[in-house]
Amino acid sequence: MNKPSQTTDMIKPVSGEDGISLADLNAAVTRQSGAAAPTRANMLRHLAYILKSNPMTLIAFILFALMLVAALLGPLITPYDPLKSSVADALQAPSLAHWFGTDDLGRDVFSRVLMATRLDLAIAFSAVAISFVFGSIIGSLSGYYGGWLDKVTGRIIDTIMAFPLFVLAMGIVAALGNSVENIVYATAIVNLPFYARMARAEVNVRRDAGFVQAARLSGNGDIRILATQIFPNALPPMMVQISLNLGWAILNAAGLSFIGLGVSPPTPEWGIMVAEGARYIVSGEWWLALFPGAVLMLAVFTFNMLGDGLRDLVDPRQRS
Amino acid sequence: MNALVEVKDLSVDFSTRNGVVHAVRDVSFSLMKGQTLGIVGESGSGKSVTSYTLMRILDQAGYISGGSVSFGGMDIGNASEKNMVLLRGREISMVFQNPRSALNPIRKVGQQIEDVLCQHLQATRHDAKQKAIDVLRQVRINNPGERYHAYPFELSGGMCQRIVIALALACRPQLMIADEPTTGLDVTTQKAVMDLMAELTRERNMATILITHDLGLAAAYCDHLIVMKDGEVVEAADAKSLFQNPQHPYTKKLIRATPRSSGTIRELLPEDTKVPALAVSTPNAGKSEAILTVENLVKEYPLKSTSSTKHPKAEARPVFRAVDDISFIVGRGECVGLVGESGCGKSTTSSMIMRLLNPTSGSLIFDGSEIANMPAKTFAKSPLRTKLQMVFQDPTDSLNPRFTASRSIADPLMRMGQLKSRRQMRDRVQELAELVGFPAHLLDRFPHQLSGGQKARVGIARAISVNPELLVLDEPTAALDVSVQAVVLNLLVDLKARLGMSYLFVSHDLSVVRLLCDRVIVMRGGKIVEQGECDQVLENPADPYTRELLNAIPHPAFD
């Protein structure tokens, strides 16, 4: 009986911290004297303003913080060992001892869902990071230089987008081999065109802006202009894309696992758990599929909501 | 006679992130039929908000917080939205600042006029086209039958503004509100558009409200003027007495700041400003040595080839000559004005001189070296780069929105300056800020947190940071309010005397050029039509085009 209360205690300080810490940190930073303090305090005040002005963003940030905690602490906070089976406890309905019930091997579903956060977030973050970096580089270069580079990369990207993306990802994983890394690469490749196109458009409209010409007159080379002057201005819309893409990437990874590609049992992963649980829905053990599915949905929802907040955060024009 | 428009103690508030902003406070005026009222003020004075309130097209955040607006006896403040829809366009109509953005880009202009006519039941499907063509004819558009089928992008800026006026006048409204109708148009086009508006107003006995920042323009075309500042009316009088006998200090300051056909650059500043006397200019210095010699400079752009004009040989392809064989000299310590209307090639010329653009042919000798054939990359690394700098037209566009003011100023120093330590850099940036009169405590701000004049100063500080010898100024004050323009122009004059720079001042505004420049070059269609000493060219223009430009500058009839 003491297990659940322990978990509640674990969750409470987290959400409480997120609410209070901003003001505290703000005050703490302001108290520090020094050159860097005012800007950092401004940043935090700005974050506080964004969270206050948009309650959806606040909810998204709280959920995101919870997910990060689950991913980072992982095995430290799971009430049971997510891999330990115990046939005596098999297929128990949700109860105070087992919040999300147990599966056919008697493993605690809550612990498994919690544990899966680390893997799913890791896949999503690394896939998005790869597609963001390479997509931005390709898109920025073709948007800035134009010409044949733009034409060639543009057509390659069109070709990638011509495939149904999930089928393409399936094909890539099937061809490269069934492993977590390959899920990451496949997800990165299908997401890359979005970044490349967006970076191209954002860079292209600023190529001849006054401040870019001024930078040229200041003796900046092309690559420096691209990296320090133009690209940072393309960041705000890219942040929205990153956040949306994190949601897609999680769905994509879970989808691949669901059909048996990539992550293999008994590793806890939301997609596999839904796939395994699906078999038991007909016989009435609904909790096996419902909870991992619900958490998956919540994660995607969080990332979709996070986008606007992130954009406002990286755009200095939103600061006053 | 009853007033058509009666505004009493009008206040408009906006609720924003930083609390309530009182955009308009206790404004009162009235307007009879057949009269033209000018609302004059600088940006942020509330003049546009006042006029938007008349049509009740304020932003969602804005609301009337006091006073009343009545139009022909009807209370606009409390009218239903349904009545306002009937009123807008039919009884009150509006001409917007940027004619291109006011027109739907993918619809024929004739159809756009038909839309307005049909919306207000002024035409049926059968006679709409004929009526639209009639309206086009009334705004003096040649070949209205043909122009009916034109898309906005096929028409010039002045033509587009005529279409917008045609749209505004199609339903024969009683009141027309023109919000900066000629800002962004050339002076000759401005004159044509304003004359047309004045004539139509007289013909139809309409009331017109002209909103403008240009006192000269307002005085030339309005019966009554009200001057607004920070949301309040500071002075209201008929045009003549306001111009000749201004009462309020702000009106006096505005009138002084407006460049006229006489007076010196110092007279633009308010009377009590303490400034050092103008350095005696030494025009002879210019003749002794040329810092920049431009010879037979040409820039050609290939025209879009159609199937009939496609030629196998490159030299046979049709080209557009943006700059057509021009030659001139800028002497050391001299200020040369390059004047012309949009599309005359003056900006192309300055871009080529800055080596942001490669000339097709011709030679550019800067400080003894031929730079026309130098590849842009080589030039960027050459020590000559520091000696040739530029101040851009739009202070907002030319500052990176993600760079603070000090970072923007420091950028050329970091790339080309010899300063190595952070401390030296910071000292130099502060020194430059002081030199251009930019408050040091604002150095950590981003461009969107600065006013237009402050941004202009940042742009100037950046350009002079590496001690250039020739500064190309591309309409540096075009986007600024007149009083700010006055200060910036004076700053430029002082900097030139202090730092011994030469200026190439690119502008469309002859009255500004007269104040600043020793010599002037007038361009049209890529060619130089006239060049000579500033006084001589402006007093006794030899070319008819120069004369036309001079005549088009709005002068009050009584001035």
Side-chain angles (χ1 to χ4, degrees):
Chain A
M1 279 312 262
N2 65 340
K3 289 274 179 194
S5 69
Q6 190 190 339
T7 328
T8 342
D9 284 341
M10 217 87 74
I11 293 173
K12 256 196 176 153
V14 175
S15 62
E17 192 181 77
D18 203 81
I20 303 162
S21 67
L22 287 173
D24 288 350
L25 275 175
N26 217 337
V29 174
T30 325
R31 253 178 271 130
Q32 289 176 356
S33 51
T39 41
R40 210 188 306 161
N42 275 342
M43 195 67 202
L44 285 172
R45 206 174 308 137
H46 180 57
L47 178 68
Y49 167 76
I50 285 174
L51 295 182
K52 213 174 80 189
S53 65
N54 190 349
M56 284 314 262
T57 309
L58 179 64
I59 293 173
F61 269 91
I62 292 174
L63 285 172
F64 182 57
L66 282 175
M67 281 200 293
L68 276 186
V69 168
L72 291 175
L73 300 183
L76 298 177
I77 56 166
T78 51
Y80 298 94
D81 181 347
L83 293 177
K84 196 181 152 217
S85 52
S86 129
V87 186
D89 297 328
L91 292 176
Q92 284 186 10
S95 64
L96 282 178
H98 297 282
W99 284 12
F100 290 178
T102 60
D103 66 4
D104 51 331
L105 296 174
R107 296 174 295 194
D108 180 41
V109 175
F110 179 69
S111 301
R112 287 176 66 76
V113 165
L114 213 58
M115 195 56 205
T117 317
R118 179 182 282 187
L119 182 62
D120 276 288
L121 284 194
I123 293 176
F125 276 116
S126 34
V128 167
I130 293 174
S131 46
F132 170 71
V133 170
F134 287 98
S136 300
I137 292 174
I138 294 171
S140 303
L141 290 176
S142 58
Y144 187 76
Y145 289 106
W148 64 266
L149 178 72
D150 187 24
K151 283 194 182 116
V152 171
T153 55
R155 292 302 80 74
I156 292 173
I157 283 165
D158 287 347
T159 316
I160 295 178
M161 292 195 87
F163 287 97
L165 294 182
F166 189 72
V167 176
L168 180 64
M170 267 167 61
I172 296 171
V173 175
L176 294 179
N178 215 347
S179 71
V180 175
E181 296 93 83
N182 289 340
I183 290 199
V184 171
Y185 297 143
T187 312
I189 290 174
V190 299
N191 281 334
L192 186 133
F194 298 98
Y195 293 98
R197 281 195 172 172
M198 185 171 263
R200 182 193 172 277
E202 294 287 329
V203 168
N204 196 264
V205 293
R206 293 182 175 84
R207 186 168 66 174
D208 292 319
F211 66 87
V212 173
Q213 303 217 333
R216 264 180 214 135
L217 294 187
S218 306
N220 291 280
D222 282 343
I223 295 297
R224 189 187 291 276
I225 287 178
L226 198 49
T228 65
Q229 303 266 355
I230 304 183
F231 188 68
N233 279 294
L235 265 183
M238 302 281 280
M239 284 323 265
V240 179
Q241 187 67 35
I242 284 181
S243 163
L244 288 176
N245 250 344
L246 280 171
W248 292 350
I250 287 184
L251 271 185
N252 203 49
L256 286 172
S257 305
F258 182 86
I259 58 169
L261 287 169
V263 186
S264 45
T267 318
E269 198 280 336
W270 294 333
I272 299 182
M273 292 175 72
V274 175
E276 287 175 342
R279 283 180 282 152
Y280 291 92
I281 289 180
V282 249
S283 50
E285 284 93 12
W286 48 268
W287 57 90
L288 263 63
L290 177 84
F291 288 110
V295 172
L296 179 62
M297 195 199 79
L298 209 61
V300 176
F301 167 82
T302 302
F303 287 121
N304 287 354
M305 296 281 60
L306 210 58
D308 287 347
L310 279 179
R311 180 198 53 206
D312 293 349
L313 211 58
V314 297
D315 191 351
R317 273 169 296 186
Q318 299 285 329
R319 248 172 269 165
S320 72
Chain B
M1 195 165 103
N2 273 339
L4 179 69
V5 181
E6 187 83 54
V7 175
K8 264 202 195 118
D9 304 324
L10 177 72
S11 296
V12 179
D13 289 353
F14 282 80
S15 31
T16 69
R17 174 170 169 175
N18 299 319
V20 175
V21 174
H22 307 286
V24 172
R25 278 172 293 182
D26 296 328
V27 167
S28 304
F29 61 85
S30 63
L31 182 61
M32 310 273 184
K33 268 198 160 191
Q35 277 187 340
T36 302
L37 173 77
I39 304 183
V40 185
E42 301 193 319
S43 44
S45 63
K47 56 191 194 302
S48 289
V49 173
T50 307
S51 65
Y52 289 179
T53 314
L54 284 180
M55 288 186 86
R56 265 225 345 244
I57 50 172
L58 288 171
D59 283 352
Q60 282 202 323
Y63 52 92
I64 298 174
S65 58
S68 67
V69 182
S70 75
F71 173 79
M74 178 179 164
D75 184 0
I76 298 268
N78 297 317
S80 68
E81 188 55 31
K82 209 168 152 195
N83 284 336
M84 286 312 296
V85 170
L86 290 176
L87 214 59
R88 289 182 203 131
R90 194 166 77 183
E91 303 296 333
I92 311 176
S93 62
M94 192 138 187
V95 176
F96 290 94
Q97 177 167 354
N98 186 343
R100 281 201 199 280
S101 62
L103 292 172
N104 185 341
I106 54 158
R107 227 167 133 66
K108 291 175 176 174
V109 294
Q111 286 174 337
Q112 299 192 39
I113 296 174
E114 275 184 28
D115 292 343
V116 180
L117 288 169
C118 294
Q119 172 72 31
H120 292 289
L121 306 175
Q122 304 278 316
T124 60
R125 207 179 274 203
H126 306 290
D127 61 357
K129 184 171 179 184
Q130 194 48 49
K131 281 193 175 166
I133 292 175
D134 285 346
V135 176
L136 286 176
R137 188 174 295 120
Q138 282 160 16
V139 292
R140 318 278 184 276
I141 283 182
N142 296 329
N143 288 331
E146 247 170 67
R147 291 284 182 236
Y148 172 92
H149 296 286
Y151 290 96
F153 73 88
E154 296 172 321
L155 303 173
S156 68
M159 199 77 103
C160 279
Q161 194 57 294
R162 278 171 211 238
I163 304 283
V164 174
I165 292 173
L167 277 173
L169 296 182
C171 294
R172 303 194 154 263
Q174 298 184 62
L175 172 65
M176 174 164 72
I177 302 172
D179 188 0
E180 305 264 11
T182 57
T183 313
L185 299 181
D186 287 323
V187 267
T188 50
T189 320
Q190 161 171 297
K191 187 172 161 58
V193 167
M194 287 310 300
D195 286 346
L196 172 70
M197 271 178 42
E199 201 179 319
L200 291 171
T201 311
R202 206 162 37 238
E203 230 168 58
R204 299 183 173 196
N205 198 28
M206 287 190 309
T208 304
I209 296 179
L210 174 69
I211 297 162
T212 178
H213 65 279
D214 186 342
L215 251 181
L217 185 75
Y221 290 96
C222 298
D223 308 313
H224 288 274
L225 290 181
I226 61 177
V227 180
M228 287 187 73
K229 185 192 186 229
D230 298 334
E232 284 175 280
V233 173
V234 296
E235 191 161 356
D238 63 279
K240 189 174 173 180
S241 60
L242 185 108
F243 218 77
Q244 289 179 337
N245 189 18
Q247 298 301 314
H248 194 275
Y250 179 71
T251 318
K252 286 182 193 168
K253 183 179 147 198
L254 265 190
I255 290 176
R256 277 179 73 89
T258 308
R260 308 243 223 129
S261 49
S262 60
T264 68
I265 194 160
R266 287 290 190 243
E267 285 174 16
L268 295 179
L269 296 172
E271 274 168 291
D272 49 352
T273 324
K274 290 207 171 37
V275 282
L278 271 181
V280 184
S281 65
T282 44
N284 294 336
K287 277 157 194 153
S288 59
E289 193 192 353
I291 186 157
L292 176 76
T293 311
V294 177
E295 264 167 25
N296 306 104
L297 193 65
V298 174
K299 179 69 192 178
E300 286 176 346
Y301 289 104
L303 284 175
K304 273 217 181 98
S305 51
T306 58
S307 56
S308 62
T309 54
K310 229 173 214 164
H311 293 283
K313 282 184 206 156
E315 57 269 31
R317 279 193 200 128
V319 290
F320 168 68
R321 283 202 156 192
V323 173
D324 193 358
D325 194 19
I326 62 168
S327 307
F328 64 90
I329 290 173
V330 180
R332 211 171 269 280
E334 199 183 25
C335 178
V336 175
L338 188 59
V339 185
E341 301 194 315
S342 50
C344 74
K346 59 186 192 301
S347 289
T348 312
T349 307
S350 66
S351 291
M352 282 192 286
I353 293 171
M354 291 315 297
R355 299 297 292 108
L356 288 170
L357 207 63
N358 290 324
T360 307
S361 68
S363 104
L364 288 168
I365 298 166
F366 174 69
D367 204 22
S369 318
E370 171 64 62
I371 60 169
N373 303 319
M374 209 183 270
K377 269 214 174 101
T378 323
F379 189 64
K381 296 204 174 73
S382 135
L384 285 174
R385 172 84 286 168
T386 61
K387 296 184 178 177
L388 183 57
Q389 284 293 315
M390 181 162 182
V391 176
F392 290 87
Q393 174 168 9
D394 184 345
T396 310
D397 178 57
S398 63
L399 296 181
N400 189 334
R402 299 182 70 95
F403 279 18
T404 59
S406 64
R407 172 94 203 267
S408 282
I409 298 174
D411 198 41
L413 289 170
M414 292 202 289
R415 299 279 79 79
M416 306 189 293
Q418 304 304 315
L419 307 175
K420 285 289 162 264
S421 76
R422 263 168 184 275
R423 174 167 209 96
Q424 275 179 312
M425 185 82 79
R426 211 179 53 224
D427 291 348
R428 175 69 178 147
V429 168
Q430 268 168 7
E431 182 190 327
L432 285 163
E434 197 181 324
L435 202 59
V436 299
F438 183 81
H441 66 275
L442 299 180
L443 277 172
D444 286 327
R445 291 215 184 169
F446 288 101
H448 71 276
Q449 296 164 319
L450 300 172
S451 71
Q454 287 163 346
K455 281 185 267 195
R457 283 171 205 263
V458 173
I460 294 170
R462 173 175 61 189
I464 64 171
S465 63
V466 286
N467 296 319
E469 290 178 15
L470 176 65
L471 203 55
V472 174
L473 303 146
D474 187 4
E475 310 233 17
T477 60
L480 302 176
D481 284 327
V482 277
S483 61
V484 183
Q485 165 176 288
V487 177
V488 171
L489 288 177
N490 275 284
L491 171 70
L492 287 171
V493 169
D494 292 339
L495 285 175
K496 176 168 169 281
R498 244 174 107 175
L499 305 175
M501 292 182 286
S502 320
Y503 285 169
L504 179 65
F505 188 87
V506 180
S507 178
H508 67 277
D509 193 339
L510 271 171
S511 42
V512 170
V513 166
R514 186 188 64 78
L515 292 166
L516 202 67
C517 298
D518 308 315
R519 281 194 306 120
V520 62
I521 299 164
V522 183
M523 280 185 76
R524 183 187 198 181
K527 287 190 161 73
I528 292 178
V529 296
E530 186 168 4
Q531 62 175 313
E533 296 294 321
C534 206
D535 295 339
Q536 195 196 329
V537 171
L538 299 190
E539 301 285 315
N540 294 308
D543 191 86
Y545 178 66
T546 317
R547 226 169 292 143
E548 195 188 326
L549 276 183
L550 282 168
N551 286 336
I553 300 172
H555 291 295
F558 41 81
D559 190 28

